[in-house]
Amino acid sequence: METIAIPAINMSVIAPEMILSVVAMALLLINVFVKNEQKGYLGYLSIAGILVTLYSLTIGWGAPQDGFSGSVVQDNFAIFFKGIFLVSAAMSILITDQYLQREGCNQGEVYPLMLFATVGMMLMASGTDLMTIFLGLEVLSVSLYVLAGFNRGSIRSNEAGLKYFLLGAFSTGFLLYGMALTYGATGTTKVVKIAAAAQSGMVSSNLMLVAGMLLMATGFAFKVAAAPFHMWTPDVYEGAPTPITAFMSVGPKAAGFAAFLRVLLVALPVFKAEWSSLLWVLAVLTMTVGNITALYQQNIKRMLAYSSIAHAGYILVGFTAGNAVGTSGILFYMLSYAFMNIGAFAVIILVGKKGEENNNLADYAGFGYKHPALGVAMCVFLFSLAGIPPAAGFVGKFYLFSGAIQAGYIWLAIIGVLNSAASVYYYLRVMIYMYFKEPTEDFNWVRLSPAFIICLIIAIAGVMIPGVVPGTILELAQKAILM
Amino acid sequence: METLFFSIVAAIAILMSILVIRCKNPINSALSLIMTFFCLATLYVMLEAPFMAAIQVIVYAGAIMVLIVFVIMLLNIRTESGRRTQHALFLGAATGLFLLFQTWYFLSRSSLTGAKGAIDSAAIAKVGHTELIGQSLFTEFLLPFEITSILLLAAIVGAVVLAKKKV
């Protein structure tokens, strides 16, 4: 019997993931001893865990290292994305407790599940082995399926969970098939080794690798809700509990893009011409379908779902460019999108009351006069989503589109700007209802808890500060690109 | 000889998987699924992967199928009544034919001889098949192997959350 040589493991590479998983498992145990009304404290504990994880991330900045025989890497790119995941998870957890108590489904397991989902996203961002990326995606997806159906008493929530599960499992099949074909063509699952193998003409001329790339692109496009793989988005976003919708409209999308970027930019740069033209079509379709459908929505959650599809399209514009400006634009935009989108969903939660979500546009009539501070906050988020200066959304879009122009995709940038202009209509419509319609309700049920105030302040700061002085964050984003 | 054997096994696998979705009685579907799994196990044996074949039979054809049959019995699912809608059938057939055409085009244009990994049949003969799988699980794929435990934990917690009686 020969002994097995254990390779260098290097635990410090996965330290953030380990800290967060341990916190999640500890919360599962603590949950048993916490009374039903006090489950909110679990949320604060998980935020403490997230802060520790964030601190452990900052240590690794600027000193890339890999571990587990090349299965994971901790580089600036991964750290920046993990920062986005952690910030968006913390903000979503802040707004979770009040909603769940109102709807009468405050089970403490929601926090460990959200943390597990975050661990999955972090593994996707730092995975350099197709197996790691796939398993990270599965950890993320399984947690999200449950979270989408978390409100068991609501038929819409059940529908959302089941629909997401069926379609998600189906799309995972595409991703896995793509990975299998890539493995078959190159003989390895490590991203760097795939790139080395694809250098030889024998491998790159093999259609099997192209088919593998296309199938993987299909799987990732489903996860980031790019058209024509977006059909699940509005139903799932509408049916899922609102804090969960906020959570899954940002983090998983960013995680999908992180893994997608790493696979295409690091493993398959040989096919850059092919995948750019593929992403060009996807970007145009996604922006246009998302924006045009959003114009017709009366339900604000559905409208934001279609708008999130459109935003995936803007990010695909930067991805198509595939250059330094476009990629740093993606990082910057994903971060500011986290603040503006979760902020908007926080206001949506406050407008609803038990049993009545009040998600129709007509329910917002006069809201801006009854609650001026919340009205202004909502306007800031919507302006940022529409890409109007000085909000961060404008700066982000500016860099995404200028990346496309630098790479010579003039028409793509023009279509993007036109789409962005069309989107102003449906964002402004919410404001028109808030300020120009007579109030029919007195909104006396709106209760601002400290957690909500903290979340909204963070969101407004996150939208306005990078919008006015984008320098610092943009510098970080430029250091975090893969090239 | 090998090609002939492969063709027979593959044909049975395809036939059985068609039966899985065409049978009206769910128990018959489940039994056809077992046959499909057995055929796949046979293919693994032909690929010199006896461990995979054994796992396929024990886990899929054994454990998972018992679960499926149990669920069918517990839920008391009746024979499917009502006809399948015609346009769904047509759409499914059209999509299937299109995919079949794509596969044919792909196969006719490319060679399926990709790159080979580090382990060949000589290495398998020297160390042993199961030992090699164990080795790579605890060395090269150690991290994915560990992530699986988190995945299973999340799935268990999720199943309990969604299924437990009292909230």
Side-chain angles (χ1 to χ4, degrees):
Chain A
M1 183 67 212
E2 60 176 318
T3 51
I4 300 175
I6 302 284
I9 280 178
N10 197 1
M11 284 291 188
S12 65
V13 181
I14 58 159
E17 284 89 344
M18 284 206 303
I19 294 172
L20 209 56
S21 334
V22 169
V23 171
M25 288 184 243
L27 283 177
L28 276 178
L29 289 178
I30 298 170
N31 177 35
V32 182
F33 303 102
V34 179
K35 283 199 203 97
N36 240 351
E37 309 82 56
Q38 292 169 340
K39 299 283 190 201
Y41 291 113
L42 293 175
Y44 293 114
L45 278 179
S46 41
I47 287 173
I50 287 177
L51 288 179
V52 175
T53 316
L54 258 179
Y55 174 71
S56 78
L57 272 183
T58 54
I59 297 173
W61 179 265
Q65 47 179 345
D66 64 354
F68 290 92
S69 43
S71 291
V72 279
V73 65
Q74 178 92 301
D75 52 3
N76 286 355
F77 176 79
I79 291 176
F80 195 98
F81 265 109
K82 286 178 190 179
I84 299 174
F85 306 150
L86 290 172
V87 167
S88 67
M91 287 172 67
S92 317
I93 287 174
L94 277 174
I95 56 177
T96 300
D97 181 56
Q98 192 183 337
Y99 179 88
L100 292 187
Q101 290 224 4
R102 190 176 85 201
E103 300 295 321
C105 58
N106 53 330
Q107 285 166 280
E109 286 88 352
V110 73
Y111 304 110
L113 281 172
M114 281 167 105
L115 294 187
F116 280 136
T118 314
V119 171
M121 294 181 221
M122 290 162 73
L123 286 166
M124 280 174 80
S126 62
T128 47
D129 187 319
L130 294 181
M131 291 305 292
T132 317
I133 293 176
F134 172 71
L135 282 165
L137 180 80
E138 278 299 275
V139 174
L140 165 67
S141 307
V142 165
S143 317
L144 279 185
Y145 301 149
V146 179
L147 286 171
F150 201 79
N151 189 357
R152 295 190 309 169
S154 144
I155 295 178
R156 301 307 300 266
S157 180
N158 289 346
E159 182 203 349
L162 191 63
K163 209 171 235 175
Y164 194 27
F165 172 61
L166 289 175
L167 289 173
F170 188 55
S171 80
T172 305
F174 281 101
L175 184 70
L176 201 53
Y177 198 11
M179 286 177 173
L181 286 180
T182 310
Y183 175 62
T186 57
T188 174
T189 53
K190 303 267 187 292
V191 167
V192 181
K193 287 185 188 161
I194 291 173
Q199 289 293 327
S200 90
M202 260 279 285
V203 176
S204 63
S205 64
N206 192 342
L207 263 186
M208 186 152 56
L209 190 55
V210 182
M213 181 189 82
L214 289 178
L215 285 167
M216 281 198 286
T218 310
F220 285 126
F222 178 90
K223 285 294 162 200
V224 302
F229 312 106
H230 66 286
M231 296 298 184
W232 57 277
T233 322
D235 290 342
V236 175
Y237 281 20
E238 189 194 350
T242 315
I244 304 302
T245 312
F247 178 64
M248 68 185 190
S249 65
V250 178
K253 204 183 274 279
F257 272 113
F260 202 3
L261 275 167
R262 199 184 285 278
V263 167
L264 287 193
L265 284 176
V266 179
L268 300 165
V270 190
F271 295 126
K272 183 147 192 274
E274 281 84 357
W275 58 251
S276 308
S277 51
L278 174 83
L279 290 175
W280 197 98
V281 178
L282 269 186
V284 171
L285 257 182
T286 309
M287 285 189 293
T288 317
V289 168
N291 277 320
I292 295 204
T293 329
L295 295 179
Y296 295 99
Q297 301 307 318
Q298 290 300 323
N299 181 311
I300 194 162
K301 260 168 110 179
R302 280 186 92 81
M303 187 202 89
L304 281 180
Y306 281 109
S307 112
S308 91
I309 296 171
H311 284 279
Y314 302 138
I315 292 166
L316 281 170
V317 171
F319 198 169
T320 310
N323 52 14
V325 179
T327 316
S328 59
I330 295 177
L331 293 166
F332 184 90
Y333 198 72
M334 254 353 293
L335 183 63
S336 40
Y337 183 67
F339 291 115
M340 52 200 183
N341 216 36
I342 295 182
F345 275 113
V347 179
I348 291 177
I349 294 175
L350 286 174
V351 174
K353 57 181 168 180
K354 184 173 169 49
E356 277 179 72
E357 295 250 297
N358 281 344
N359 282 338
N360 286 326
L361 278 178
D363 297 325
Y364 283 74
F367 181 70
Y369 292 114
K370 297 282 173 189
H371 290 276
L374 283 177
V376 170
M378 187 68 167
C379 288
V380 169
F381 303 136
L382 291 174
F383 273 129
S384 180
L385 283 166
I388 292 170
F394 166 75
V395 185
K397 266 184 200 158
F398 177 77
Y399 282 103
L400 287 175
F401 294 154
S402 54
I405 289 176
Q406 238 183 44
Y409 295 103
I410 309 285
W411 273 106
L412 187 61
I414 292 175
I415 297 172
V417 172
L418 285 177
N419 261 297
S420 184
S423 77
V424 175
Y425 170 76
Y426 57 81
Y427 293 124
L428 278 183
R429 207 165 50 148
V430 180
M431 294 180 220
I432 288 175
Y433 271 94
M434 284 200 307
Y435 287 105
F436 294 98
K437 303 265 175 177
E438 284 302 309
T440 48
E441 304 263 6
D442 51 4
F443 294 105
N444 55 1
W445 62 82
V446 176
R447 190 171 59 85
L448 259 180
S449 64
F452 262 86
I453 296 175
I454 297 172
C455 175
L456 285 172
I457 288 176
I458 296 175
I460 290 182
V463 169
M464 292 315 292
I465 294 173
V468 180
V469 274
T472 326
I473 294 197
L474 202 65
E475 218 169 277
L476 289 179
Q478 277 161 350
K479 279 186 194 143
I481 55 173
L482 279 170
M483 285 160 263
Chain B
M1 185 61 199
E2 206 176 344
T3 324
L4 180 70
F5 187 65
F6 171 81
S7 312
I8 294 172
V9 176
I12 297 175
I14 293 172
L15 184 72
M16 286 300 157
S17 42
I18 292 175
L19 281 181
V20 173
I21 52 170
R22 289 303 294 173
C23 278
K24 297 228 159 169
N25 188 335
I27 290 283
N28 289 354
S29 290
L31 293 178
S32 314
L33 195 56
I34 297 183
M35 275 309 290
T36 316
F37 287 149
F38 270 114
C39 293
L40 288 184
T42 319
L43 294 183
Y44 287 140
V45 173
M46 291 176 68
L47 290 171
E48 292 184 59
F51 182 73
M52 293 306 294
I55 289 292
Q56 175 83 10
V57 172
I58 295 170
V59 176
Y60 281 88
I64 291 183
M65 282 317 295
V66 170
L67 274 181
I68 292 183
V69 174
F70 252 123
V71 171
I72 293 174
M73 277 165 51
L74 285 177
L75 294 182
N76 200 10
I77 302 171
R78 301 284 163 83
T79 306
E80 186 185 332
S81 59
R83 289 164 51 92
R84 294 180 169 90
T85 45
Q86 285 298 316
H87 66 276
L89 208 64
F90 174 74
L91 263 180
T95 319
L97 279 177
F98 179 66
L99 286 177
L100 203 64
F101 172 75
Q102 272 190 331
T103 316
W104 169 80
Y105 181 79
F106 163 63
L107 287 176
S108 68
R109 291 284 297 273
S110 67
S111 67
L112 282 182
T113 46
K116 286 205 173 67
I119 292 160
D120 51 4
S121 40
I124 293 176
K126 186 165 156 271
V127 188
H129 186 260
T130 315
E131 288 85 342
L132 274 174
I133 290 181
Q135 258 186 30
S136 56
L137 266 188
F138 285 101
T139 56
E140 205 188 342
F141 294 103
L142 181 61
L143 182 68
F145 181 65
E146 298 293 345
I147 302 172
T148 318
S149 57
I150 299 277
L151 173 63
L152 291 176
L153 181 63
I156 294 169
V157 173
V160 172
V161 167
L162 289 183
K164 77 177 172 189
K165 265 219 174 88
K166 202 172 111 285
V167 175

